[in-house]
Amino acid sequence: METVAVQRKFSGKRNRLDKPELLAPAGNLEKLKFAIHYGADAVYIGGQAYGLRSNADNFSFEEMREGVEFAKKYGAKVFVATNIYAHNEDIEGIETYLQNLYNAGISAVIVADPAIIDVALRAVPGLEVHLSTQQSTLNWQAVKFWKDEGLPRVVLGRETSFEEIEEIKAHVDIEIEAFIHGAMCSSYSGRCVLSNHFTDRDSNRGGCCQSCRWKYDLFEDAREEGVWVSEEEMQMQAPAPFNLGENQIPLFEKQDNAFSMGSKDLCMIGHIPELIDVGVDSFKIEGRMKSIHYVATVVNVYRQAIDSYMADPENYVLKPEWVEEMNKAANRPLNTGFFYDTPDHEDHIYEPEEKAVPYDFAGLVMDYDAATGMATIQQRNHFKPGDQIEFFGPGGTFFKQVVGELQDEEGNVLDAARHPLQRVKMKVDQPISYFDMMRKKK
């Protein structure tokens, strides 16, 4: 990932002087707990209706209540994405659903559809309504419109630049939430209909099939050039088995890489001062479908960077270890999205993706005995004596070591920790704490 020093100073001043909120994704209850434990001020989750991640492990009302109680212990909040674009059949029951969210202790809903916004404001006045990024809000007049409608926060479209954010904050006194890390949409945020056409899965009702990440070939119609090619010849040229139509000539050779239109992922760890100084009130991380290791690592790094800047802005320095940590969690190459300029061909992925994540989440620390240096580890991926591992935890806890002797809970020596959620004991080189994580290179 390329990191760039602060490139410009902003003329405006923050409308709020307190620390910006770090908002993390939580695809299930376990991820919620990790996100908050590793430093999130708030998390956003999906319920079992009206959200855009229908394939995630979405929350029941009982799980929401448990999540809210956990969050309260850390002074954190829980938001629910209720951000589909509703069809007529989706509207029935929305008032009851929103009331149940409020009764579960949810602090805010993230909404795109004006009909759902209207119901929420009218029927559940105690529940905050945040405008979803699905509305693609990019200018201050649109932001002012939603403020006048009674919304306290707008989640800007991912296409918003630093200059546009500065102008928005100069004109409208409202909370601004912006994505600062995670996957980018190859379409205008959330407006893609490729999934609908290719698979009959509606992106705006939670069914996106990630068609922008597929591999594609290109063809031309030979009849337009007055050339006839047999279907057998066309199939021989194709880089993979295709159901070719008559006289379609593949433009790729067998050895060519299939075409993809996928965008690189967003990462703003190198630009925390600019994000804070321009007045972004909530730093949003994308990834309700991502792993626990991803959520914990990314939240942990941004937490440290934000706290470091707020403690001493004049002497803030981007630490190389933060960048290294981000790369350990990265799924794709990283860039700065639309913050500085419009992404071009260099900001998209055309070759086969190199899987950047070289680490597995190997174990979770359940207990540590300072007198003996022995830790109890809950296995999350296979590891064995001799493996090189890393421990990390909230606030910058980090060290490497080699796995020594492993024992089960009865003291029997093991040749490996091979069973999911198995508890094993091992000696560690430095003190560690409950909920610290252990990872190893793949």
Side-chain angles (χ1 to χ4, degrees):
M1 181 191 74
E2 180 182 359
T3 59
V4 183
V6 177
Q7 295 187 1
R8 60 189 293 264
K9 291 292 184 180
F10 297 100
S11 59
K13 295 182 178 179
R14 285 181 56 82
N15 289 338
R16 299 169 60 213
L17 298 178
D18 53 343
K19 187 182 297 185
E21 172 186 89
L22 181 58
L23 176 58
N28 57 35
L29 188 56
E30 185 178 38
K31 292 176 185 178
L32 178 150
K33 292 179 179 179
F34 272 90
I36 293 173
H37 184 79
Y38 275 75
D41 300 303
V43 295
Y44 62 101
I45 67 175
Q48 296 183 342
Y50 306 107
L52 285 184
R53 287 294 181 268
S54 58
N55 293 325
D57 297 329
N58 292 314
F59 285 63
S60 66
F61 291 120
E62 182 178 351
E63 289 172 324
M64 288 182 191
R65 284 188 286 270
E66 183 177 344
V68 168
E69 287 303 310
F70 181 88
K72 284 181 178 178
K73 296 176 183 177
Y74 289 80
K77 297 179 180 180
V78 181
F79 307 152
V80 172
T82 314
N83 53 348
I84 67 166
Y85 280 107
H87 291 240
N88 288 326
E89 62 266 26
D90 297 320
I91 294 299
E92 184 177 356
I94 184 63
E95 184 172 330
T96 300
Y97 178 78
L98 294 171
Q99 186 64 56
N100 287 336
L101 294 182
Y102 180 69
N103 292 339
I106 298 302
S107 297
V109 286
I110 306 166
V111 188
D113 194 302
I116 300 177
I117 292 172
D118 179 67
V119 173
L121 293 173
R122 174 173 43 83
V124 197
L127 185 64
E128 275 195 14
V129 180
H130 299 170
L131 187 72
S132 170
T133 191
Q134 297 299 114
Q135 271 286 350
S136 297
T137 306
L138 308 171
N139 64 81
W140 71 264
Q141 293 186 66
V143 172
K144 184 177 184 302
F145 170 85
W146 290 112
K147 180 186 178 181
D148 293 344
E149 288 295 305
L151 275 60
R153 178 183 295 191
V154 167
V155 187
L156 296 177
R158 287 176 173 85
E159 298 78 18
T160 317
S161 69
F162 268 130
E163 288 80 2
E164 289 167 325
I165 296 174
E166 184 176 24
E167 187 169 1
I168 289 168
K169 294 296 288 189
H171 284 89
V172 189
D173 183 12
I174 191 173
E175 290 183 5
I176 291 298
E177 182 178 310
F179 280 93
I180 53 95
H181 197 95
M184 297 288 281
C185 186
S186 290
S187 173
Y188 235 72
S189 293
R191 303 302 178 100
C192 178
V193 293
L194 287 178
S195 179
N196 304 55
H197 286 296
F198 290 168
T199 65
D200 198 28
R201 288 169 51 181
D202 191 340
S203 300
N204 285 317
R205 299 173 88 184
C208 181
C209 68
Q210 298 283 309
S211 49
C212 59
R213 304 291 180 187
W214 293 3
K215 295 179 179 179
Y216 293 90
D217 202 350
L218 295 177
F219 301 88
E220 68 178 356
D221 191 335
R223 290 170 298 185
E224 295 179 1
E225 303 297 329
V227 178
W228 188 88
V229 181
S230 70
E231 185 169 341
E232 181 180 0
E233 289 177 299
M234 288 189 287
Q235 291 288 0
M236 289 177 63
Q237 292 182 51
F242 282 97
N243 182 20
L244 294 173
E246 185 178 0
N247 284 309
Q248 287 182 327
I249 301 176
L251 299 181
F252 289 169
E253 300 293 337
K254 280 184 177 291
Q255 68 271 18
D256 292 337
N257 293 322
F259 175 83
S260 171
M261 66 183 79
S263 171
K264 293 181 180 180
D265 283 1
L266 174 66
C267 178
M268 292 296 288
I269 189 58
H271 307 278
I272 295 301
E274 292 148 293
L275 290 165
I276 294 175
D277 291 348
V278 79
V280 176
D281 298 281
S282 179
F283 292 7
K284 189 168 191 172
I285 299 167
E286 181 273 340
R288 276 189 283 151
M289 301 287 285
K290 299 290 178 61
S291 69
I292 291 170
H293 174 255
Y294 173 93
V295 172
T297 301
V298 173
V299 169
N300 196 20
V301 172
Y302 279 111
R303 177 77 282 150
Q304 293 176 65
I306 293 168
D307 290 351
S308 177
Y309 179 78
M310 296 300 294
D312 189 1
E314 296 301 320
N315 295 302
Y316 174 80
V317 176
L318 173 67
K319 295 182 179 180
E321 56 263 36
W322 295 340
V323 178
E324 183 180 352
E325 281 291 289
M326 285 300 191
N327 287 327
K328 290 176 182 178
N331 291 283
R332 302 182 186 94
L334 304 171
N335 68 8
T336 55
F338 287 80
F339 280 101
Y340 291 103
D341 51 33
T342 302
D344 59 18
H345 64 283
E346 295 183 352
D347 297 297
H348 289 75
I349 302 167
Y350 301 108
E351 303 293 330
E353 292 182 25
E354 293 184 8
K355 294 302 180 185
V357 183
Y359 291 84
D360 277 327
F361 172 24
L364 177 65
V365 177
M366 305 304 295
D367 191 27
Y368 171 71
D369 185 341
T372 62
M374 294 293 289
T376 301
I377 309 293
Q378 184 187 70
Q379 190 260 34
R380 292 303 181 98
N381 269 296
H382 180 279
F383 64 93
K384 64 185 186 304
D387 284 347
Q388 178 79 38
I389 57 169
E390 297 178 358
F391 283 99
F392 72 98
T397 298
F398 179 84
F399 65 93
K400 299 178 181 180
Q401 74 168 72
V402 174
V403 177
E405 182 179 273
L406 295 177
Q407 301 176 3
D408 65 17
E409 292 186 280
E410 284 72 45
N412 301 308
V413 176
L414 303 171
D415 66 341
R418 61 180 76 254
H419 304 298
L421 303 183
Q422 176 184 16
R423 292 195 178 206
V424 300
K425 293 182 179 295
M426 60 177 282
K427 194 161 188 176
V428 293
D429 294 347
Q430 297 183 30
I432 51 179
S433 301
Y434 174 67
F435 246 52
D436 284 356
M437 296 175 72
M438 185 181 91
R439 62 184 170 210
K440 68 167 188 172
K441 281 191 175 182
K442 293 185 178 179

